[in-house]
C-alpha cells in the first residue's frame, strides 16, 4: 500500500503459480491478471527431474549422470554448473532449483 501511495506510477509485477486469492490481490493492486502460459517463450524452457543418477527429460527420455563425488554427493553442483553453462556452453544459462523445505533451501544456498 505504501508503495502505491508514494509511487503511484510504478509498475508492480507479481508472479505465482498457486495464488489462492488472486481476485483479492488483483483488486488491491487495481490490476489485470496475465496468463503467460499462452505466450511463446523467447527462450526454450528445458525441464528435467533428477532421480538417482538419471536425469529424466520432459519427453520421457533419460540421461545417465556421472558418479557423485565426495563434495557433490547429490550432483547438485554438477547439474547447476551444466545449466548455467547454457545450451551452447556460453555461460548464458539460468537454473531454478526447487526445494521442499525452507531448511533445505538455506542449506543448498549456502553451498
Amino acid at each position: 500500500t505504501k508503495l502505491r501511495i508514494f509511487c503511484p506510477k510504478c509498475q508492480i509485477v507479481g508472479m505465482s503459480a498457486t495464488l489462492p486469492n488472486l481476485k483479492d490481490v488483483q483488486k488491491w493492486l487495481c490490476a489485470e491478471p496475465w496468463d503467460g502460459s499462452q505466450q511463446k517463450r523467447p527462450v526454450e524452457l528445458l525441464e528435467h527431474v533428477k532421480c538417482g543418477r538419471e536425469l529424466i527429460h520432459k519427453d520421457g527420455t533419460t540421461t545417465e549422470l556421472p558418479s557423485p563425488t565426495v563434495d557433490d554427493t547429490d550432483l547438485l553442483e554438477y547439474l547447476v554448473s551444466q545449466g548455467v553453462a547454457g545450451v551452447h556452453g556460453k555461460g548464458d544459462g539460468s537454473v531454478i532449483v526447487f526445494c521442499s523445505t525452507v531448511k533445505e533451501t538455506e542449506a543448498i544456498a549456502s553451498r
Side-chain angles (χ1 to χ4, degrees), residues 33-79:
W34 178 74
D35 181 2
S37 66
Q38 304 304 316
Q39 303 296 318
K40 180 171 174 19
R41 296 184 59 84
V43 176
E44 182 183 3
L45 177 62
L46 303 174
E47 301 172 64
H48 312 284
V49 173
K50 179 193 167 287
C51 185
R53 285 191 49 217
E54 275 191 333
L55 195 62
I56 304 167
H57 308 281
K58 193 174 182 178
D59 65 2
T61 61
T62 61
T63 301
E64 187 175 340
L65 297 170
S67 296
T69 64
V70 174
D71 295 328
D72 190 15
T73 57
D74 58 4
L75 295 172
L76 183 63
E77 284 93 356
Y78 170 80
L79 292 169

Side-chain angles (χ1 to χ4, degrees), residues 1 3-4 8 10-14 19 22-32:
T1 301
L3 184 60
R4 293 190 63 230
C10 70
Q11 181 180 20
I12 300 171
V13 178
L19 190 62
L22 177 62
K23 295 275 188 211
D24 295 334
V25 174
Q26 180 181 340
K27 183 177 175 184
W28 173 61
L29 292 173
C30 301
E32 293 296 322

